[in-house]
């Protein structure tokens, strides 16, 4: 029979057998009844037998000095009383045999291990036995640690979990490391970043929290080479990493081990262990640490794959939500009209839940001569299907109203159409037409909550409505009329503002009336605009997690401000004052920021052209006149009484002012007479509704609009010129000189930040073109920072400067802010 070890009953026992097989002393493994299951070659040699001949025999028969029952009883007693892995305390000298042999026994699993030697080797055998016990116990601890590690890493769902699991596992080793961490490559693959930086002592944290992969450090070397690094004391550290010895060593930091953490394509980092005292890392411990690092690599790969799937799922969800939101916005009006004597604002918030596209809708369109039609509707249900039905109903009703169909007739035709549209049955709508001149509102409703009228003094009243929902057998709507006070506000809204589970409709209407009066009162004292009033109403009434869409559409009677005629002296053209006057007037009318900026640009181009071409040889006056017509168009006339003279410099850059005017306005007409030149143009005014809480907020640029401020800053290895204020005909000459000096005629590269520029006229565009072309001929490309939504961004698009410059959204260098853990 061939000598073989008994089959292991556990992973721990398997470790024990592998250790026993390698030791030089005699070892036998017996069953509880003394049957020999395994002997190593050292034991067979002591007994002058072969290992094969001893298998299956009884220990007290094979052991020549142990034929008496006492020895058998001691082995049986060891089997019965010893705990797993603990040596049996059988007698004072631990002897099992007599004569020339002595032995010891202990239980391993459900079997008994017998260790014996000749009597003259007893002292050495005792030392060997103790070493064997220590090795077996260490092997058992490492085996158990591996089992715990596999379970802990399997439960980890983040890299932080993995780091915590490693630290917790090492607490059970002896001697336990003082510090355990994982250093992983960041996004650029050029640095190692510690997952637990707080564990690094504060005095060295700034040096070792983020480590270049090429650094002469153990963790970087382990990651670069894929081989573990073991340093047992400070002397070895000084020999291998002299700089680290000076920067890192300190109380409680004397030994270090770094095992590479392997990913699919190579090392992704290192597992770092630090001991407080010198620590000799033997072969088995090195194998254990390397194995744990392997487990860490698998766990990180699994966690990152999981994170990638989560990110992909979140991205798909966000894309879906963004698509739904974009669809919702595209189905609703993007602009609201601006008419004399009335201001209109809309606020729309979708429900706080998935598939939030809903069936609420609104619209405001000019009707006839200065009147304004307001409509709000609500389709039953939510999601893309409800949004599609909403879009059909809105398109039909808006088209009917725009054609001049009366209120009741338009609703009757919409009712017949809704009966044929799947999903439109039960929809509600309220339609009102406001006449600012007569201060009368006419209205009708199909199952929709009544309009609310709010006075500037806080008084409120609901308008009586009659009629049932669309597409069903319901009472027909009745036309109503109401006379308004000079500054009254009319509010149309969806039922999401007044309906709430557990509250009656009457209570909801009372709450809306109170909230609207409060919001208007605060607006009177704070100067809040109509969009903010609508937003405050919705915010006050709608709770987080609301399950319905909310729409608020308000129209407020108000002033009809006229623009006083502006006279500009060509010798002292205070252009900033002209721009400020235009902005203030347009804002009072209710124009949106886009319209204000475009009109300012068009008017100033006409003014600067008049000064440059009409009054080059003699001074004179430029006149600006404007009014808002009843169709919502602002009409301008810019005139002079000078003689047109062609420019004598930079002819290749001329003509852009007229092109800018055409891009910023409608119906531009230039009339040149012997008595002077007149430029006429108009632009239809509008303002954007508010969706959700996305208020249009723009930071005011530093400094005033009176002068152009220039600040030179370092940017990487070059320079950036930051401009604040206007680039008009007054400041462009100063800017040209500064740019010529900085670029040395174009030979030196330069970037410019135009984010805080308040105005760029054609003269400023000419300067930028001139310097950009000089730089391009010298082999450089001018970089212009112009964030979206800024004046500079708009002008760059209109002027074509993007074709010869590099347009940037921000002034950060490409590598800034790119690294991530």
């Amino acid at each position: 029979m061939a000598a073989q070890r008994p089959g292991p009953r556990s992973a721990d026992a398997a470790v024990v057998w592998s250790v026993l097989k390698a030791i030089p002393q005699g070892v036998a493994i017996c069953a509880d009844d003394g049957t020999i299951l395994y002997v190593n070659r050292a034991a067979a040699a002591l007994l002058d037998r072969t290992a094969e001949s001893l298998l299956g025999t009884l220990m007290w028969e094979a052991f020549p000095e142990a034929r008496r029952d006492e020895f058998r009883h001691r082995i049986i007693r060891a089997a019965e009383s010893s705990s797993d892995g603990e040596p049996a305390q059988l007698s004072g000298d631990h002897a099992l045999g007599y004569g020339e042999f002595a032995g010891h026994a202990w239980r391993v699993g459900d079997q008994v291990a017998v260790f014996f030697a000749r009597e003259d080797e007893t002292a050495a055998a005792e030392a060997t036995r103790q070493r064997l016990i220590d090795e077996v116990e260490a092997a058992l601890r490492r085996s158990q640690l591996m089992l715990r590690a596999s379970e802990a890493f399997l439960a980890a769902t983040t890299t932080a979990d993995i780091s915590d699991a490693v630290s917790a596992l090492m607490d059970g080793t002896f001697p336990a490391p003082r510090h355990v961490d994982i250093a992983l490559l960041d996004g650029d693959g050029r640095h190692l970043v510690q997952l637990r930086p707080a564990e690094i002592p504060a005095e060295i944290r700034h040096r070792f929290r983020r480590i270049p992969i090429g650094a002469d450090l153990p963790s970087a070397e382990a990651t670069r080479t894929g081989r573990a690094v073991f340093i047992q004391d400070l002397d070895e550290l000084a020999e291998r990493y002299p700089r680290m010895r000076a920067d890192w060593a300190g109380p409680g930091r004397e030994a270090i081990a770094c095992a590479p953490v392997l990913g699919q394509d190579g090392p992704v980092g290192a597992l770092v262990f630090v001991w407080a005292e010198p620590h000799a890392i033997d072969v088995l411990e090195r194998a254990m640490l390397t194995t744990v690092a392997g487990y860490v690599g698998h766990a990180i790969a699994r966690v990152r794959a999981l994170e990638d799937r989560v990110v992909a799922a979140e991205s798909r969800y966000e894309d879906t939500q963004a698509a739904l939101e974009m669809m919702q916005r595209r189905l609703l009006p993007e602009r609201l009209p601006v008419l004399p004597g009335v201001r209109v604002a809309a606020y729309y918030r979708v429900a706080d839940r998935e598939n939030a596209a809903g069936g609420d809708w609104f619209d405001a369109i000019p009707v006839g001569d200065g009147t304004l039609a307001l409509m709000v509707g609500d389709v039953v249900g939510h999601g893309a299907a409800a949004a599609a039905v909403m879009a059909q109903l809105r398109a039909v009703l808006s088209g009917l109203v725009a054609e001049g169909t009366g209120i009741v007739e338009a609703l009757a035709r919409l009712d017949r159409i809704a009966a044929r549209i799947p999903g439109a049955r039960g929809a509600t709508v309220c339609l009102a037409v406001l006449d600012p001149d007569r201060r009368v509102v006419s209205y009708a409703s199909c199952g929709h909550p009544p309009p609310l009228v709010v006075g500037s003094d806080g008084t409120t009243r609901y308008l009586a409505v009659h009629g049932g929902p669309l597409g069903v057998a319901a009472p027909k709507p009745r036309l109503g009329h109401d006379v308004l006070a000079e500054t009254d506000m009319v509010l149309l809204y969806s039922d999401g503002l007044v309906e709430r589970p557990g509250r009656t409709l009457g209570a909801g209407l009372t709450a809306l009336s109170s909230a609207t009066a409060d919001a208007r009162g605060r607006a009177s004292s704070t100067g809040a605009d109509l969009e903010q009033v609508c937003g405050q109403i919705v915010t006050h009434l709608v709770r987080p997690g609301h399950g319905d869409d909310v729409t608020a559409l308000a129209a407020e009677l108000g002033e009809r401000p006229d623009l006083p005629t502006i006279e500009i002296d060509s010798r002292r053209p205070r252009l900033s004052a002209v721009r400020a006057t235009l902005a203030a007037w347009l804002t009072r009318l209710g124009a949106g920021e886009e319209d204000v900026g475009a009109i300012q640009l068009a008017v100033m181009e006409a003014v600067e052209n008049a000064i440059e071409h009409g009054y080059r040889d003699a001074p004179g006056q430029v006149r600006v006149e404007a009014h808002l017509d009843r169709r919502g168009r602002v009409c301008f006339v810019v005139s002079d009484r000078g003689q047109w003279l062609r420019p004598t410099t930079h002819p290749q850059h001329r003509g852009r002012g007229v092109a800018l005017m055409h891009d910023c306005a409608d119906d531009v007409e230039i009339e040149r007479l012997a008595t002077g030149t007149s430029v006429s143009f108009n632009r239809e005014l509008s303002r954007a509704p508010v969706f959700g809480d996305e208020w249009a907020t723009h930071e005011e640029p530093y400094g005033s609009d009176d002068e152009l401020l220039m600040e030179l800053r370092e940017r990487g290895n070059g320079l950036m010129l930051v401009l604040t204020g206007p680039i008009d005909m007054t400041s462009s000459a100063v800017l040209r000189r500064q740019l010529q000096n900085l670029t040395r005629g174009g030979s030196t590269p330069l970037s410019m930040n135009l984010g805080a520029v308040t105005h760029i006229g054609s003269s400023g565009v000419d300067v930028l073109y001139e310097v950009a072309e000089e730089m391009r001929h010298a082999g450089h490309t001018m970089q212009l920072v112009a964030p979206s939504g800024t004046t500079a961004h708009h002008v760059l698009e209109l002027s074509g400067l993007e074709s010869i410059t590099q347009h940037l959204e921000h002034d950060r260098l490409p590598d800034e802010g790119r690294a991530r853990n």
Side-chain angles (χ1 to χ4, degrees):
M1 174 185 259
Q4 58 183 2
R5 67 173 182 172
R9 304 298 179 89
S10 67
D12 294 345
V15 175
V16 173
W17 307 142
S18 64
V19 174
L20 297 179
K21 183 177 179 180
I23 67 174
Q25 286 73 32
V27 177
I29 307 298
C30 303
D32 289 348
D33 62 358
T35 302
I36 297 177
L37 302 176
Y38 169 82
V39 293
N40 65 359
R41 298 191 181 280
L46 284 172
L47 300 176
D48 294 326
R49 299 276 295 276
T50 64
E52 290 79 359
S53 65
L54 291 171
L55 293 177
T57 64
L58 294 173
M59 172 58 72
W60 39 83
E61 294 178 357
F63 193 32
E65 299 293 330
R67 296 189 181 278
R68 286 180 291 181
D69 289 342
E70 185 179 354
F71 181 73
R72 180 184 63 183
H73 293 159
R74 290 189 177 189
I75 289 183
I76 294 174
R77 197 184 331 156
E80 293 176 346
S81 64
S82 174
S83 61
D84 191 13
E86 295 293 334
Q89 192 76 12
L90 298 179
S91 66
D93 59 1
H94 301 272
L96 282 179
Y98 302 90
E100 63 174 316
F101 290 98
H104 306 268
W106 71 95
R107 169 178 284 281
V108 179
D110 57 358
Q111 296 155 355
V112 181
V114 181
F115 171 83
F116 55 95
R118 295 189 181 279
E119 190 67 34
D120 56 359
E121 298 174 353
T122 301
E126 176 63 21
T128 302
R129 182 187 70 84
Q130 187 60 48
R131 179 177 58 81
L132 175 62
I133 292 172
D134 293 342
E135 290 178 355
V136 170
E137 290 179 345
L140 286 172
R141 286 196 303 270
R142 290 164 184 162
S143 174
Q144 291 165 356
L145 185 143
M146 293 297 101
L147 292 174
R148 293 198 310 272
S150 62
E151 295 172 355
F153 294 146
L154 188 61
T157 58
T158 66
T159 52
D161 290 344
I162 297 173
S163 180
D164 292 341
V166 174
S167 181
L169 286 169
M170 292 300 112
D171 284 344
T173 61
F174 181 80
R178 178 178 182 179
H179 171 63
V180 180
D181 200 1
I182 304 173
L184 295 179
L185 289 172
D186 64 0
D188 64 5
R190 295 184 295 185
H191 293 84
L192 288 171
V193 179
Q194 307 289 135
L195 291 187
R196 299 160 62 93
E199 298 293 328
I200 304 174
E203 66 270 17
I204 60 172
R205 188 175 302 159
H206 67 286
R207 298 179 184 174
F208 295 95
R209 178 173 182 172
R210 182 177 173 86
I211 300 171
I213 189 62
D216 189 22
L217 296 172
S219 57
E221 180 178 331
T223 305
R224 288 195 309 270
T225 64
R227 295 189 299 271
V229 176
F230 302 100
I231 307 295
Q232 66 180 2
D233 55 34
L234 294 180
D235 291 338
E236 185 177 358
L237 181 68
E239 181 180 349
R240 296 181 59 177
Y241 305 98
R243 182 172 179 180
M244 183 181 177
R245 171 66 173 85
D247 294 341
W248 179 82
R253 300 189 297 273
E254 298 206 19
I256 186 170
C258 296
V261 175
L262 301 179
Q264 185 175 0
D265 300 322
V268 297
L271 189 57
V272 180
F273 305 88
V274 177
W275 286 269
E277 303 293 338
H279 178 53
I281 308 173
D282 60 24
V283 173
L284 290 178
E285 188 172 9
R286 294 185 180 198
M288 179 195 71
L289 298 180
T290 303
T291 302
V292 172
Y295 285 172
V296 169
H298 289 300
I300 287 176
R302 180 180 57 79
V303 166
R304 286 184 169 176
L306 177 62
E307 290 174 346
D308 289 343
R309 288 195 295 271
V310 170
V311 169
E314 290 177 346
S315 178
R316 288 193 298 270
Y317 173 78
E318 291 173 357
D319 289 345
T320 301
Q321 293 301 103
L324 286 171
E325 183 179 351
M326 181 59 67
M327 179 189 70
Q328 185 85 23
R329 294 194 179 193
R330 289 288 182 256
L331 296 177
L332 295 170
E334 295 184 3
R335 312 295 298 179
L336 300 173
V338 174
L339 297 176
V342 61
R343 296 190 64 168
V344 63
Y347 184 98
Y348 188 98
R349 181 185 288 181
V350 298
D352 288 343
R353 51 179 171 69
E354 296 180 358
N355 299 323
D360 284 15
W361 57 276
F362 65 90
D363 208 346
I365 55 177
V367 180
D369 191 15
T371 59
L372 177 67
L374 307 168
M375 59 195 77
V376 169
D378 188 4
V379 173
V380 177
H382 300 92
V389 174
M390 168 270 289
Q392 296 178 72
L393 296 182
R394 173 188 164 240
V396 170
L397 185 58
S398 298
L400 291 172
V401 172
E403 291 174 356
T405 307
I407 294 176
V408 174
E409 175 60 21
L411 292 178
R413 293 172 64 177
L414 182 67
D415 179 60
R416 293 193 291 271
I417 293 173
R420 302 195 301 270
I421 299 176
R425 292 178 181 271
T428 64
V429 63
C430 183
L431 172 61
V433 176
L434 179 62
D435 186 339
D437 292 336
R438 297 170 49 231
R439 297 205 297 269
V440 172
V441 59
S442 303
Y443 59 93
S445 172
C446 291
H448 206 79
L452 175 64
V453 177
V454 185
S456 59
D457 59 356
T459 58
T460 63
R461 67 181 184 278
Y462 284 102
L463 304 181
V465 294
H466 305 276
L470 298 172
V472 298
K476 302 302 179 184
R478 299 179 189 175
L479 182 63
H481 303 280
D482 192 84
V483 178
L484 304 175
E486 186 175 359
T487 57
D488 278 353
M489 183 186 85
V490 179
L491 178 69
L492 276 65
Y493 51 93
S494 59
D495 57 9
L497 271 183
V498 294
E499 293 183 355
R500 183 183 302 171
R503 186 176 69 178
T504 65
L505 178 59
L509 293 173
T510 301
L512 173 60
S513 176
S514 175
T516 305
D518 290 344
R520 270 213 100 187
R522 287 194 297 271
S524 300
S525 59
T526 62
D529 57 27
L530 200 56
E531 284 89 352
Q532 292 173 309
V533 171
C534 292
Q536 289 171 5
I537 296 170
V538 173
T539 302
H540 179 78
L541 295 175
V542 176
R543 296 176 177 177
H546 63 105
D548 200 1
D549 310 317
V550 175
T551 300
L553 177 65
E556 180 181 54
L557 297 179
E559 59 183 350
R560 303 167 185 254
D562 294 325
L563 177 69
T565 300
I566 302 174
E567 297 281 353
I568 304 165
D569 187 341
S570 66
R571 294 169 298 182
R572 294 181 298 277
R574 297 187 64 248
L575 302 182
S576 61
V578 177
R579 288 191 293 271
T581 300
L582 291 174
W585 180 63
L586 293 168
T587 300
R588 288 176 64 192
L589 291 178
E593 292 186 5
E594 182 179 334
D595 287 338
V596 172
I599 291 171
Q600 281 182 316
L601 184 58
V603 171
M604 298 315 298
E605 282 303 315
V607 169
E608 290 186 19
N609 278 342
I611 293 174
E612 182 179 5
H613 303 307
Y615 297 120
R616 185 180 306 163
D617 295 335
Q621 299 288 320
V622 178
R623 172 175 293 190
V624 179
E625 301 170 284
H627 70 280
L628 179 66
D629 69 15
R630 298 177 64 81
R631 295 171 54 188
R633 297 179 308 174
V634 63
C635 305
F636 277 90
V637 177
V638 179
S639 59
D640 65 75
R641 304 187 65 81
Q643 296 297 317
W644 178 275
L645 295 175
R646 292 189 175 277
T648 58
T649 59
H650 309 295
Q652 72 273 22
H653 297 308
R654 307 311 301 183
R656 294 198 181 92
V658 175
L660 286 175
M661 281 190 285
H662 278 282
D663 285 325
C664 295
D666 307 320
D667 305 325
V668 178
E669 294 183 2
I670 301 177
E671 185 178 13
R672 296 189 180 93
L673 303 173
T675 57
T677 301
S678 174
V679 179
S680 303
F681 59 85
N682 59 67
R683 180 183 175 105
E684 186 174 334
L685 296 184
S686 64
R687 61 189 300 109
V690 176
F691 290 89
D693 296 320
E694 297 181 5
W695 301 97
T697 56
H698 298 282
E699 293 184 2
E700 291 295 329
Y702 175 78
S704 68
D705 190 46
D706 294 331
E707 61 176 324
L708 179 65
L709 304 179
M710 291 178 275
E711 179 184 357
L712 194 62
R713 302 176 183 172
E714 293 185 359
R715 181 176 185 264
N717 296 325
L719 296 175
M720 169 170 282
L721 185 64
V722 181
L723 302 180
T724 301
I727 307 177
D728 51 27
M729 63 182 304
T730 303
S731 59
S732 58
V734 178
L735 178 61
R736 175 181 281 110
R737 289 194 298 271
Q738 179 75 327
L739 293 179
Q740 290 290 343
N741 291 334
L742 292 175
T743 64
R744 298 177 182 176
S747 62
T748 301
L750 178 70
S751 56
M752 301 174 64
N753 190 324
L754 309 178
V757 169
T758 57
H759 173 81
I760 304 180
S762 58
S763 56
V765 173
D766 289 345
V767 171
L768 297 178
Y769 256 107
E770 178 183 340
V771 178
E773 288 178 346
E774 289 175 349
M775 288 178 57
R776 188 172 60 166
H777 292 154
H780 309 300
T781 300
M782 177 184 285
Q783 292 183 331
L784 298 177
V785 178
S788 299
T790 61
T791 298
H793 183 274
H794 181 60
V795 173
L796 289 182
E797 289 182 332
L798 295 180
S799 65
L801 265 169
E802 291 180 321
S803 62
I804 63 170
T805 62
Q806 182 182 3
H807 177 202
L808 305 175
E809 278 288 324
H810 51 74
D811 61 2
R812 295 193 303 271
L813 294 173
D815 289 335
E816 291 180 1
R818 207 160 105 193
R820 64 176 180 86
N821 291 355

